[in-house]
């Protein structure tokens, strides 16, 4: 009997140590959840994702990826890389294409040493965003721009250019067929997120930066949300969009606990890459845990909403078609 009592006390003490830890009740043991060993550069988790929950990493068939009629969540464990046509020493994972129902293409381009981009079709516009490493952009006149992490470039249709990398680099690329307007022309744009001003967002609390002009020639934009409704960070890679209209691209930031006020339903499509953080994304009638490295496609009129969770800022890169009549 004495041995049974000692065994019970030891077992109970061990369980209490597991359940009540410095992280609070119901914390997982260190073997299941371990902190990241490094955070070497901005957006490093886009290229070094944490598969969550980590103890399911090796579970056969496990993935968080989902594809439905009006939305898709593509998570890092589902990425399939292959040689990128017309690029040298570059692998790509296509995350969004017209086969899914979109009017643009979004992909990750992993450039190796001595790699170089190819040219898109003559009527295709391209947007690239660097999430790891650095590349050199050169136009037909020989003008060069060095693009580092958090830098980007918009390249108009029929614009001859090359993107070269002497070492490893990862880009997010958006491409689409430009919906041109008579007597309106787009121009090459090179910039970085921190150069763009924060914009007012009436009724909302997140921070917003638009990476492209809002003027009529541009048929899409890219938004960066620098801060999200929770304490997490979202991270974006280099993306390529292949589209039929204007491209708005934005960076959006949420602080921990922040969320979208408006439950959006609109005609625009979205392509999204989480650069930093984690949270909950509502798409249609489904609610998805998301984290840095995840990509999302949103079809027109799908209900959408986001709330940030965790302990760090959330940031994501967002594509949106603009400035064109939906007819």
């Amino acid at each position: 009997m004495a041995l049974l009592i000692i065994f019970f006390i030891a077992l109970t003490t061990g369980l209490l140590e597991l359940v009540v830890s410095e992280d609070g009740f119901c914390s997982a043991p260190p073997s299941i959840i371990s902190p990241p060993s490094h955070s070497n550069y901005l957006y490093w988790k886009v290229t070094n994702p944490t598969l969550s929950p980590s103890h399911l990493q090796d579970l056969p068939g496990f993935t968080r990826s989902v594809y439905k009629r009006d939305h898709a969540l593509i998570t890092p464990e589902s990425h399939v890389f292959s040689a990128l046509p017309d690029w040298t020493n570059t692998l790509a994972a296509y995350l969004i294409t017209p086969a899914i129902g979109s009017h643009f293409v979004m992909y990750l381009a992993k450039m190796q040493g001595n790699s170089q981009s190819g040219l898109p079709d003559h009527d295709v516009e391209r947007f690239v965003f660097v999430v790891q490493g650095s590349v050199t952009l050169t136009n037909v006149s020989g003008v060069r721009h060095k693009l580092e992490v958090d830098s980007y470039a918009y390249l108009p249709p029929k614009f001859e250019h090359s993107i070269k990398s002497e070492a490893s680099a990862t880009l997010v690329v958006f491409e689409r067929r430009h919906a041109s307007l008579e007597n309106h022309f787009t121009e090459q744009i090179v910039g970085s997120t921190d150069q763009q001003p924060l914009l007012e967002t009436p009724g909302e609390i997140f921070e917003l930066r638009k990476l492209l002009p809002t003027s009529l020639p541009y048929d899409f934009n890219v938004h960066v949300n620098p801060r999200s409704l929770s304490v997490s960070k979202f991270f974006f890679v280099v993306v390529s969009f292949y589209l039929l209209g204007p491209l708005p691209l934005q960076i959006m930031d949420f602080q921990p606990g922040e969320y979208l006020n408006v439950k959006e339903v609109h005609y625009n499509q979205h392509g999204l890459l989480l650069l930093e953080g984690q949270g909950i994304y509502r798409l249609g009638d489904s609610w998805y845990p998301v984290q840095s490295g995840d990509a999302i496609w949103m079809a027109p009129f799908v209900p959408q909403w986001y709330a940030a969770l965790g302990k760090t800022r959330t940031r994501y890169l967002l594509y949106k078609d603009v400035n064109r009549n939906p007819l």
Side-chain angles (χ1 to χ4, degrees), residues 164-296:
K164 295 183 179 180
S165 178
E166 296 180 356
S168 173
T170 303
L171 313 175
V172 181
V173 184
F174 292 93
E175 294 172 342
R176 61 170 284 166
R177 296 193 183 278
H178 182 58
S180 59
L181 297 175
E182 187 175 0
N183 298 323
H184 289 82
F185 304 99
T186 59
E187 299 179 348
Q188 173 186 305
I189 296 172
V190 175
S192 64
T193 298
D194 59 5
Q195 294 175 343
Q196 305 310 311
L198 290 174
L199 303 178
E200 291 187 10
T201 56
E204 298 285 2
I205 54 177
F206 62 79
E207 293 182 351
L208 173 68
R209 303 174 195 265
K210 293 189 177 183
L211 306 187
L212 295 181
T214 57
S215 54
L216 194 57
Y218 297 87
D219 58 359
F220 74 93
N221 213 312
V222 175
H223 299 188
V224 175
N225 259 23
R227 193 172 67 180
S228 161
L229 307 172
S230 89
V231 189
S232 292
K233 295 183 178 181
F234 280 102
F235 196 50
F236 280 88
V237 190
V238 179
V239 180
S240 178
F241 283 102
Y242 188 35
L243 307 165
L244 298 174
L247 289 176
L249 287 165
Q250 305 168 336
I251 290 283
M252 301 177 71
D253 288 350
F254 296 84
Q255 292 303 331
E258 294 180 339
Y259 56 88
L260 288 171
N261 181 44
V262 176
K263 282 62 71 177
E264 297 184 1
V265 177
H266 50 60
Y267 79 90
N268 316 81
Q269 292 195 29
H270 283 319
L272 180 154
L273 180 64
L274 275 68
L275 298 177
E276 296 178 310
Q278 61 189 41
I280 298 294
Y281 226 110
R282 177 187 175 177
L283 299 169
D285 294 328
S286 300
W287 303 72
Y288 301 104
V290 293
Q291 63 181 7
S292 52
D294 290 353
I296 298 174

